[in-house]
Amino acid sequence: MIQVFSDRFDQFQIGPFPYDPKHSAIGEYHYYPTQGFKGAWYDPIVWYGWLGPSWIVTENDGVKYMEQTRPQMAISDHWPMLVAGAPDWCDYSFETTLRLLSTDSFNGVAFRYVHARRHYFLGFEGACLRLLKRDQEKLINLAAVPFDCDCDTAYRLRVECVGNSLKAFVDGELLI
Protein backbone atom coordinates (compact mmCIF):
# COMPACT_ATOMS: atom_id res chain seq x y z
CA MET A 1 0.00 0.00 0.00
CA ILE A 2 1.27 3.48 -0.86
CA GLN A 3 1.36 6.07 1.90
CA VAL A 4 0.00 9.37 0.60
CA PHE A 5 -0.21 11.38 3.81
CA SER A 6 1.41 11.41 7.23
CA ASP A 7 1.74 14.15 9.82
CA ARG A 8 3.24 14.22 13.30
CA PHE A 9 2.77 18.02 13.61
CA ASP A 10 6.57 18.46 13.87
CA GLN A 11 6.62 21.56 11.64
CA PHE A 12 3.99 23.36 13.70
CA GLN A 13 4.85 25.96 16.31
CA ILE A 14 3.39 25.44 19.76
CA GLY A 15 0.22 27.53 20.02
CA PRO A 16 -3.06 28.08 18.19
CA PHE A 17 -3.80 26.62 14.77
CA PRO A 18 -4.61 29.56 12.41
CA TYR A 19 -8.19 30.78 12.81
CA ASP A 20 -10.36 33.84 12.20
CA PRO A 21 -10.14 35.66 15.57
CA LYS A 22 -13.30 37.67 14.87
CA HIS A 23 -15.27 34.60 13.78
CA SER A 24 -16.52 36.70 10.90
CA ALA A 25 -18.14 35.64 7.65
CA ILE A 26 -14.66 34.99 6.24
CA GLY A 27 -14.60 31.74 8.23
CA GLU A 28 -18.10 30.53 7.39
CA TYR A 29 -18.90 26.97 6.43
CA HIS A 30 -16.68 26.03 3.47
CA TYR A 31 -14.25 28.92 3.32
CA TYR A 32 -11.04 28.74 5.26
CA PRO A 33 -8.54 31.54 5.86
CA THR A 34 -5.05 31.26 4.44
CA GLN A 35 -3.02 33.17 7.04
CA GLY A 36 -0.51 31.22 9.14
CA PHE A 37 1.10 27.81 8.72
CA LYS A 38 -1.48 25.03 8.43
CA GLY A 39 0.53 22.28 6.77
CA ALA A 40 -1.91 20.09 4.81
CA TRP A 41 -4.78 20.87 7.22
CA TYR A 42 -7.66 23.32 7.31
CA ASP A 43 -10.39 24.10 9.81
CA PRO A 44 -13.76 24.16 7.99
CA ILE A 45 -15.87 25.13 11.02
CA VAL A 46 -16.17 28.58 12.49
CA TRP A 47 -19.20 29.28 14.59
CA TYR A 48 -19.90 32.85 15.72
CA GLY A 49 -20.52 31.68 19.30
CA TRP A 50 -16.99 30.34 19.75
CA LEU A 51 -14.21 32.55 21.07
CA GLY A 52 -10.54 31.80 20.49
CA PRO A 53 -8.99 28.99 18.47
CA SER A 54 -10.60 25.58 18.10
CA TRP A 55 -7.23 23.84 17.90
CA ILE A 56 -3.84 24.31 19.52
CA VAL A 57 -0.55 22.54 19.04
CA THR A 58 0.80 21.21 22.33
CA GLU A 59 3.81 19.15 23.26
CA ASN A 60 4.48 16.42 25.79
CA ASP A 61 7.89 14.73 26.21
CA GLY A 62 9.05 16.13 22.85
CA VAL A 63 6.02 14.85 20.91
CA LYS A 64 3.62 17.39 19.40
CA TYR A 65 -0.14 16.96 19.43
CA MET A 66 -3.12 18.77 17.99
CA GLU A 67 -5.58 19.50 20.80
CA GLN A 68 -9.22 20.52 20.43
CA THR A 69 -10.06 23.40 22.78
CA ARG A 70 -13.86 23.53 22.73
CA PRO A 71 -15.69 22.57 25.92
CA GLN A 72 -18.02 19.68 25.14
CA MET A 73 -21.04 21.61 26.40
CA ALA A 74 -20.38 24.33 23.80
CA ILE A 75 -20.23 21.98 20.83
CA SER A 76 -23.82 20.66 20.46
CA ASP A 77 -24.47 20.57 16.68
CA HIS A 78 -21.17 22.23 15.75
CA TRP A 79 -18.30 19.73 15.72
CA PRO A 80 -14.83 21.27 15.61
CA MET A 81 -12.89 19.60 12.81
CA LEU A 82 -9.48 19.64 11.20
CA VAL A 83 -9.47 18.31 7.66
CA ALA A 84 -6.75 16.88 5.43
CA GLY A 85 -6.98 14.80 2.30
CA ALA A 86 -8.31 15.01 -1.23
CA PRO A 87 -11.70 14.34 -2.85
CA ASP A 88 -10.20 11.57 -4.99
CA TRP A 89 -9.31 9.45 -1.96
CA CYS A 90 -11.85 6.63 -2.20
CA ASP A 91 -10.31 3.32 -1.09
CA TYR A 92 -7.88 3.95 1.75
CA SER A 93 -7.03 3.26 5.34
CA PHE A 94 -5.86 5.63 8.01
CA GLU A 95 -4.65 5.43 11.54
CA THR A 96 -4.43 7.99 14.30
CA THR A 97 -3.82 8.12 18.01
CA LEU A 98 -6.53 9.82 20.04
CA ARG A 99 -6.62 10.74 23.70
CA LEU A 100 -9.94 11.93 25.07
CA LEU A 101 -10.13 15.05 27.16
CA SER A 102 -13.75 14.20 27.99
CA THR A 103 -15.98 11.13 27.66
CA ASP A 104 -19.20 13.15 27.70
CA SER A 105 -19.55 13.77 23.98
CA PHE A 106 -18.39 12.55 20.56
CA ASN A 107 -14.60 12.26 20.25
CA GLY A 108 -13.10 10.72 17.15
CA VAL A 109 -12.28 11.10 13.49
CA ALA A 110 -14.26 11.92 10.37
CA PHE A 111 -13.55 10.17 7.09
CA ARG A 112 -14.98 9.91 3.59
CA TYR A 113 -15.36 13.63 4.16
CA VAL A 114 -17.41 15.62 1.65
CA HIS A 115 -17.92 18.65 3.89
CA ALA A 116 -18.51 19.42 7.56
CA ARG A 117 -22.09 18.18 7.38
CA ARG A 118 -21.57 15.11 5.17
CA HIS A 119 -19.06 12.48 6.31
CA TYR A 120 -18.60 9.32 8.34
CA PHE A 121 -17.37 9.34 11.93
CA LEU A 122 -15.64 6.77 14.11
CA GLY A 123 -15.21 7.57 17.74
CA PHE A 124 -16.21 7.34 21.33
CA GLU A 125 -19.33 8.61 23.01
CA GLY A 126 -20.06 7.63 26.56
CA ALA A 127 -19.15 3.97 26.98
CA CYS A 128 -19.46 3.10 23.26
CA LEU A 129 -17.38 3.05 20.12
CA ARG A 130 -19.66 4.38 17.38
CA LEU A 131 -19.66 4.40 13.61
CA LEU A 132 -21.90 7.24 12.43
CA LYS A 133 -22.91 8.75 9.13
CA ARG A 134 -23.66 12.45 9.13
CA ASP A 135 -25.83 13.70 6.29
CA GLN A 136 -26.73 17.33 6.87
CA GLU A 137 -29.05 17.31 9.92
CA LYS A 138 -29.26 13.51 10.10
CA LEU A 139 -26.89 11.61 12.37
CA ILE A 140 -27.27 7.92 11.52
CA ASN A 141 -25.90 5.31 13.92
CA LEU A 142 -24.46 2.58 11.67
CA ALA A 143 -22.87 0.50 14.45
CA ALA A 144 -22.03 0.72 18.12
CA VAL A 145 -20.14 -1.57 20.46
CA PRO A 146 -19.62 -1.18 24.19
CA PHE A 147 -16.19 0.28 24.93
CA ASP A 148 -15.01 1.41 28.33
CA CYS A 149 -12.93 4.46 27.37
CA ASP A 150 -11.25 6.91 29.72
CA CYS A 151 -9.29 10.15 29.59
CA ASP A 152 -5.99 8.60 30.73
CA THR A 153 -5.45 6.28 27.76
CA ALA A 154 -4.31 7.02 24.22
CA TYR A 155 -6.27 4.90 21.72
CA ARG A 156 -5.03 3.95 18.25
CA LEU A 157 -7.96 4.19 15.81
CA ARG A 158 -7.72 2.62 12.37
CA VAL A 159 -10.34 2.73 9.62
CA GLU A 160 -10.25 0.78 6.36
CA CYS A 161 -12.48 2.04 3.55
CA VAL A 162 -12.79 -0.24 0.52
CA GLY A 163 -15.77 0.25 -1.77
CA ASN A 164 -18.83 0.28 0.46
CA SER A 165 -17.09 -1.73 3.19
CA LEU A 166 -15.84 -0.02 6.35
CA LYS A 167 -13.79 -1.68 9.09
CA ALA A 168 -12.91 -0.05 12.39
CA PHE A 169 -10.12 -1.08 14.73
CA VAL A 170 -9.06 0.11 18.16
CA ASP A 171 -5.53 -0.75 19.25
CA GLY A 172 -5.30 -3.33 16.45
CA GLU A 173 -8.53 -5.14 17.33
CA LEU A 174 -11.33 -5.24 14.74
CA LEU A 175 -14.44 -3.99 16.55
CA ILE A 176 -16.78 -2.80 13.76
Side-chain angles (χ1 to χ4, degrees):
M1 185 169 289
I2 298 171
Q3 182 174 331
V4 295
F5 180 73
S6 176
D7 198 340
R8 299 180 67 76
F9 306 113
D10 294 335
Q11 289 101 18
F12 286 86
Q13 298 294 318
I14 301 296
F17 186 83
Y19 71 104
D20 174 17
K22 296 181 181 181
H23 298 291
S24 64
I26 198 169
E28 297 254 339
Y29 208 63
H30 295 295
Y31 180 85
Y32 46 95
T34 57
Q35 296 178 349
F37 178 75
K38 298 182 302 297
W41 299 91
Y42 70 94
D43 181 352
I45 305 293
V46 175
W47 184 55
Y48 69 90
W50 291 345
L51 300 175
S54 292
W55 300 93
I56 58 171
V57 178
T58 60
E59 186 175 19
N60 185 25
D61 293 331
V63 177
K64 291 186 179 176
Y65 298 91
M66 191 65 72
E67 185 174 316
Q68 194 263 110
T69 65
R70 299 280 162 229
Q72 295 298 316
M73 61 194 319
I75 293 175
S76 64
D77 293 334
H78 308 283
W79 294 4
M81 302 180 103
L82 270 186
V83 178
D88 60 344
W89 290 7
C90 49
D91 290 348
Y92 62 90
S93 65
F94 74 88
E95 187 172 302
T96 189
T97 300
L98 178 72
R99 181 170 167 239
L100 312 179
L101 299 178
S102 169
T103 59
D104 294 336
S105 186
F106 295 105
N107 295 279
V109 292
F111 59 98
R112 293 232 163 136
Y113 178 89
V114 177
H115 54 69
R117 295 171 52 86
R118 183 166 285 149
H119 56 269
Y120 290 85
F121 169 88
L122 174 70
F124 304 102
E125 191 252 341
C128 283
L129 175 70
R130 297 190 183 280
L131 176 63
L132 305 173
K133 179 180 180 182
R134 182 168 191 166
D135 187 7
Q136 300 297 346
E137 295 294 322
K138 295 180 197 168
L139 199 56
I140 303 158
N141 189 27
L142 300 176
V145 295
F147 195 95
D148 190 22
C149 57
D150 62 61
C151 296
D152 296 322
T153 305
Y155 300 98
R156 198 176 76 244
L157 299 180
R158 178 177 172 83
V159 174
E160 295 179 0
C161 308
V162 179
N164 62 1
S165 172
L166 303 174
K167 292 181 182 178
F169 303 77
V170 177
D171 296 330
E173 182 181 352
L174 176 63
L175 295 178
I176 297 175

